[in-house]
Amino acid sequence: MTLLLCPHTHVYLNSFSALPLKKISTRKIRNSIRALSTTPSEMEQPMRGQRLMEFPHLLAPHKDLMVGLISAVDKRLHGHLLPSSASVPPDAEYYQNQSGASQGSLCINRGVDSSHIDFILTSWLHLSLPNGGAMDITNIQGYLKSSTDAPHFQFELVQCSPTYFIFFLDLIPRKDLVLHPDYLKTFYEDSRLEALRKQLETQVLEAKPYFSSSLYFRNVVSPTGILVSITCEDGGTTERAEEIIRANIEPIANEVLELWMDSCVCKGGTATIEEDERDQLEKRDRMIKSRAIEMDLSSSMPIQFGQDVADRILGVIRSVFRI
């Protein structure tokens, strides 16, 4: 099972041999990346480590997408967040296995006391596969506190090969949508989420629904969540894959992120949260985080990175998850 740094939802890729994988050539890290707007005081305490922003193994549009999403978070939510260095030590910001074939970078920005944000976790993983290929996983997730019932944010793009990838984008519900129809209406029916899901389905004919083998996972995602696999049959070139990321995935991901920041982070939830409801939200969030560790991370991390590295990274994540 492949390791994905998603605390509550992840794509299950059970058989490496079943995927049309080819070895991804390592790109040279660009000397400069898109600059983020900072003040002198912010430069003294950067919001995240430099290694996160390198994305050294991705297709160019995939890297541009990640840098753009992170820049949007920094611009809109900078006042809500603490620097990643407050939660992630240097030896967890970037890590690799003994051979250096598998690498990862982790950034976690906790929310300030006055913010609805619990934390925003951003990561990339470059994983070596038994057949000599590689898999690249990029992930952004935003968790909110129990001061609001608004959904969490989840973005993940898995580059299984230069022409095959899996895309997951959702606002993860924190209430039962059958028992709370007002919640369904506010965050899903009255938003553009379903229209965006259909837009991708219509515009990208190569996109096929991806069904996780985990029934638990299928129960966690929202009815408007996007979970697709995309295979580009173009003679092994990356042109079509790059076009899809740039022209289709990027605008949809940007719009959903903006929707989450505006409607969930800044406006809050559907009602004032009473103490008993707060307890239920915390219980649900805690169970989702715990299942993520148990189902995937605790078994996959030692296989990919060795026990010492796995213990170090999982220790940081467990501390932030408070489990």
Side-chain angles (χ1 to χ4, degrees):
M1 185 181 297
T2 301
L3 164 66
L4 302 183
L5 278 177
C6 298
H8 52 277
T9 50
H10 44 77
V11 179
Y12 283 81
L13 305 174
N14 294 316
S15 175
F16 293 139
S17 60
L19 299 177
L21 293 170
K22 297 181 180 179
K23 189 169 184 178
I24 301 173
S25 60
T26 303
R27 294 177 178 271
K28 292 183 179 180
I29 301 172
R30 296 176 184 175
N31 292 329
S32 61
I33 62 175
R34 187 180 303 172
L36 301 178
S37 176
T38 57
T39 64
S41 61
E42 290 167 358
M43 292 177 66
E44 294 173 4
Q45 284 192 312
M47 292 302 290
R48 54 187 47 82
Q50 182 180 356
R51 299 303 294 266
L52 175 79
M53 301 296 284
E54 291 173 353
F55 300 109
H57 306 284
L58 302 181
L59 296 174
H62 189 169
K63 175 178 178 177
D64 291 342
L65 168 60
M66 292 303 298
V67 173
L69 292 173
I70 292 170
S71 299
V73 169
D74 281 355
K75 181 178 180 180
R76 183 74 182 275
L77 301 179
H78 186 88
H80 289 257
L81 302 172
L82 297 171
S84 180
S85 57
S87 302
V88 181
D91 61 357
E93 175 203 334
Y94 173 80
Y95 52 95
Q96 61 183 27
N97 64 2
Q98 191 170 11
S99 68
S102 292
Q103 306 161 6
S105 183
L106 175 66
C107 168
I108 305 176
N109 299 101
R110 292 181 185 267
V112 299
D113 291 343
S114 59
S115 175
H116 285 312
I117 296 175
D118 188 2
F119 62 84
I120 293 180
L121 185 153
T122 312
S123 69
W124 60 258
L125 288 169
H126 177 75
L127 306 178
S128 62
L129 301 179
N131 66 354
M135 178 179 295
D136 289 281
I137 303 165
T138 54
N139 173 52
I140 301 175
Q141 54 197 302
Y143 255 84
L144 300 180
K145 298 173 183 174
S146 58
S147 58
T148 175
D149 62 3
H152 302 312
F153 174 81
Q154 176 69 52
F155 165 91
E156 190 165 275
L157 189 57
V158 183
Q159 185 176 300
C160 304
S161 82
T163 58
Y164 177 72
F165 48 100
I166 295 171
F167 177 42
F168 175 44
L169 179 65
D170 199 13
L171 298 188
I172 305 297
R174 300 172 70 197
K175 286 186 173 182
D176 187 301
L177 300 182
V178 175
L179 297 178
H180 300 277
D182 57 330
Y183 192 89
L184 174 66
K185 180 175 176 58
T186 298
F187 293 112
Y188 301 100
E189 291 180 347
D190 290 349
S191 69
R192 277 185 36 81
L193 293 175
E194 179 64 6
L196 292 171
R197 187 191 66 79
K198 290 181 177 179
Q199 176 180 315
L200 183 70
E201 182 181 89
T202 302
Q203 294 180 351
V204 182
L205 300 181
E206 297 93 336
K208 306 299 181 184
Y210 186 93
F211 296 101
S212 169
S213 61
S214 169
L215 297 182
Y216 169 81
F217 169 83
R218 298 185 203 176
N219 192 51
V220 169
V221 300
S222 82
T224 60
I226 296 173
L227 180 54
V228 297
S229 63
I230 301 174
T231 304
C232 303
E233 300 291 348
D234 54 1
T237 67
T238 64
E239 291 182 6
R240 177 56 179 156
E242 293 183 14
E243 178 186 4
I244 290 172
I245 294 173
R246 184 184 301 109
N248 304 110
I249 290 179
E250 181 174 348
I252 291 174
N254 281 326
E255 186 165 345
V256 174
L257 176 61
E258 288 292 337
L259 175 66
W260 180 73
M261 291 191 293
D262 181 52
S263 300
C264 300
V265 176
C266 297
K267 291 184 180 179
T270 57
T272 302
I273 307 300
E274 302 295 339
E275 185 174 352
D276 59 339
E277 186 176 5
R278 183 187 295 262
D279 291 341
Q280 289 299 312
L281 289 169
E282 291 176 354
K283 180 180 179 181
R284 181 185 178 96
D285 288 345
R286 187 165 53 250
M287 290 179 64
I288 289 173
K289 296 171 189 174
S290 297
R291 286 296 295 271
I293 296 290
E294 295 169 4
M295 291 171 60
D296 201 36
L297 294 176
S298 60
S299 60
S300 300
M301 283 291 284
I303 294 173
Q304 285 287 345
F305 294 98
Q307 194 63 55
D308 289 345
V309 174
D311 289 344
R312 183 168 71 244
I313 303 305
L314 289 176
V316 173
I317 295 174
R318 286 193 176 100
S319 175
V320 174
F321 285 7
R322 294 186 293 277
I323 57 173

